[in-house]
Amino acid sequence: MTQDNIASAVEAELVELSGLLTEPGEHECLRCYLLRMINEFGCDGQHRWTIRWRDLRAPRARGLIGRLQRLGGVCCDCEVLLNVFPDYPDTTSLLPCAGQRQPGSSAPCDLRELRRSA
Ligand SMILES: [Zn+2]
Ligand SMILES: [Zn+2]
């Protein structure tokens, strides 16, 4: 294996890894996904994570971005979090997602349930 081959093998592995890391959980709601991604990778000033979530979890929700923009998530993912999903339990660490309410739904999960049972 030449030096080049090793480098591209490592690169391929990294790409694969970041694909997995940025994949929304099977039932992860949009709010928890955005929190997780912005916490890990930050906001790039666009709807990067919202679009990734929609493509994988709600591919038929074509109007999703427009709807979120009307609700205040005008420019980017962190605005969606701040303005569309302002309710989040007061914690120092992220809570595990309680689960998407129904497939394709962008409504946030109900974390109060989780806290009560914790
Ligand atoms: Zn932002
Ligand atoms: Zn959630």
Side-chain angles (χ1 to χ4, degrees), residues 20-34:
L20 283 178
L21 282 176
T22 62
E23 183 145 325
E26 205 178 330
H27 302 291
E28 189 171 24
C29 73
L30 176 59
R31 189 253 328 261
C32 294
Y33 175 68
L34 287 180

Side-chain angles (χ1 to χ4, degrees), residues 6-81:
I6 295 169
S8 59
V10 169
E11 217 164 275
E13 209 162 287
L14 280 178
V15 167
E16 199 171 295
L17 199 69
S18 70
L20 283 178
L21 282 176
T22 62
E23 183 145 325
E26 205 178 330
H27 302 291
E28 189 171 24
C29 73
L30 176 59
R31 189 253 328 261
C32 294
Y33 175 68
L34 287 180
L35 268 173
R36 196 161 63 83
M37 288 304 109
I38 288 172
N39 229 32
E40 292 275 325
F41 304 102
C43 174
D44 72 345
Q46 300 173 42
H47 292 102
R48 169 172 60 157
W49 303 121
T50 305
I51 289 168
R52 183 156 168 77
W53 181 92
R54 184 203 57 193
D55 287 350
L56 289 162
R57 290 294 166 262
R60 278 174 302 178
R62 299 199 170 273
L64 180 64
I65 304 288
R67 193 152 53 82
L68 295 174
Q69 285 178 322
R70 282 193 295 280
L71 292 170
V74 182
C75 298
C76 63
D77 294 327
C78 56
E79 283 192 347
V80 172
L81 269 185

